[in-house]
Amino acid sequence: MRRFRHLGALLSTTLLLLAGPADLKAQAEHGLDDVQPVSRDAVVRAMLLEREKGYDLTASTNATRLWAHTIFMLAEWAKEAAPDGSPLFLHEADYYHAYLEATGLDAAGAPEFIRISHEYGQHTLIEYRLERIVDMAETETIPARALAVRTWWPESGSLGDRYSFEDTLSTPRLLVVNEREVSYRLLDFGDQMLFDRIEGIRGRPTSGVLGVLFEVLGTGRIVWSRMAVSDDGSLVVRAKAKKLVSKTSTAVVERDGTGGDVPDDRTDLRVVAERLERPLEVAYQPWPF
């Protein structure tokens, strides 16, 4: 199978950069005085459960999958303890060190996407109360679970308003731009997950013919991404980006992180891809924080 192409690759790389943590200064900056800190041990436990599924946690193309399932697990545990509890507050160092522990890597071997999030000290808040995220009266298909996620780092003279990261393992190579503030909703419908209303993430190819084209067009804004896991553990991703025009694309990520277009001879993956093409509209409550 060919390495990742076009938008499917871009979304798998961009969304992995949404993981990140928080400190008291960031908490005060957003006027939050009632949050639940997430323990490092809990993050490690959630990641180890993902490792048991047999996909490569160190591959950048699998990082979105790891992040989504990890924070959903953290939210489930929090909901069991406090169904109407306050938003979760994930500290940067806890996520970083939990990832190293779960993968068995040391700091020198940390992937670029983990290292750069650690260096910028991104912060994450997670709202897990469904009724505070989804407008139940206006939504036809209610998700089983929903999260509202915001990541940021405090304003600083030494840090800019964005950072970029180039995934040199994909073909074509991809440039990801992460703004200082990123927000999105993450919904679980049982047969698929949806990253929706994404703000603060942009990206573009940097090599080949597409690289030349996007030098002229500039980077596109990531709008949404849908993903589902097949019976053999492969991940099917469908995503939309927008610049001058909108572009929607579907790709497959195998458990070892390699990926490409949906193969013509894989009926099972075609069925999953078709599922991700069905209309899905959700009405939301006002942003919770």
Side-chain angles (χ1 to χ4, degrees), residues 258-276:
T258 60
D261 297 327
V262 181
D264 293 334
D265 60 350
R266 289 291 303 273
T267 304
D268 57 332
L269 297 182
R270 290 280 172 189
V271 170
V272 176
E274 290 172 4
R275 184 195 312 159
L276 298 181

Side-chain angles (χ1 to χ4, degrees), residues 101-116:
E101 182 174 340
T103 58
L105 298 173
D106 58 18
E112 180 73 3
F113 65 86
I114 286 292
R115 182 194 60 78
I116 197 168

Side-chain angles (χ1 to χ4, degrees), residues 16-219:
L16 61 86
L17 293 175
L18 299 179
D23 56 21
L24 295 179
K25 180 178 179 181
Q27 180 180 337
E29 190 176 82
H30 277 69
L32 299 168
D33 55 7
D34 183 21
V35 294
Q36 301 181 71
V38 177
S39 73
R40 185 178 304 180
D41 287 344
V43 182
V44 172
R45 185 155 55 103
M47 289 184 174
L48 290 177
L49 289 173
E50 283 302 292
R51 193 175 72 178
E52 292 178 1
K53 296 178 180 179
Y55 67 91
D56 185 359
L57 305 189
T58 68
S60 62
T61 44
N62 279 326
T64 302
R65 178 178 178 177
L66 172 63
W67 171 243
H69 285 281
T70 295
I71 61 176
F72 263 130
M73 185 59 66
L74 295 172
E76 282 298 299
W77 292 335
K79 189 183 301 182
E80 290 174 3
D84 195 38
S86 54
L88 302 182
F89 184 70
L90 183 56
H91 193 281
E92 175 273 325
D94 290 325
Y95 189 82
Y96 173 76
H97 290 290
Y99 178 86
L100 296 183
E101 182 174 340
T103 58
L105 298 173
D106 58 18
E112 180 73 3
F113 65 86
I114 286 292
R115 182 194 60 78
I116 197 168
S117 176
H118 176 56
E119 288 182 354
Y120 271 74
Q122 282 183 285
H123 322 302
T124 297
L125 287 168
I126 303 168
E127 171 62 73
Y128 61 83
R129 291 166 287 189
L130 180 62
E131 69 280 2
R132 297 200 176 196
I133 302 167
V134 175
D135 187 333
M136 314 288 262
E138 298 296 326
T139 300
E140 182 175 347
T141 304
I142 304 296
R145 303 181 293 177
L147 304 176
V149 183
R150 181 184 294 277
T151 74
W152 78 96
W153 61 85
E155 292 186 22
S156 169
S158 60
L159 299 175
D161 290 334
R162 64 183 59 85
Y163 66 69
S164 61
F165 164 75
E166 186 171 18
D167 184 351
T168 59
L169 298 179
S170 61
T171 303
R173 294 190 301 273
L174 298 166
L175 176 69
V176 179
V177 180
N178 199 126
E179 305 290 345
R180 191 175 72 84
E181 296 223 11
V182 172
S183 62
Y184 56 95
R185 277 84 165 182
L186 176 56
L187 312 179
D188 179 10
F189 291 92
D191 64 349
Q192 63 181 281
M193 290 187 182
L194 167 67
F195 286 87
D196 202 12
R197 304 287 180 90
I198 300 170
E199 298 288 344
I201 295 290
R202 296 179 290 119
R204 64 176 174 83
T206 60
S207 65
V209 175
L210 283 176
V212 175
L213 174 62
F214 276 79
E215 282 294 336
V216 178
L217 295 180
T219 54

Side-chain angles (χ1 to χ4, degrees), residues 7-26:
L7 189 59
L10 184 59
L11 261 293
S12 187
T13 303
T14 55
L15 289 176
L16 61 86
L17 293 175
L18 299 179
D23 56 21
L24 295 179
K25 180 178 179 181

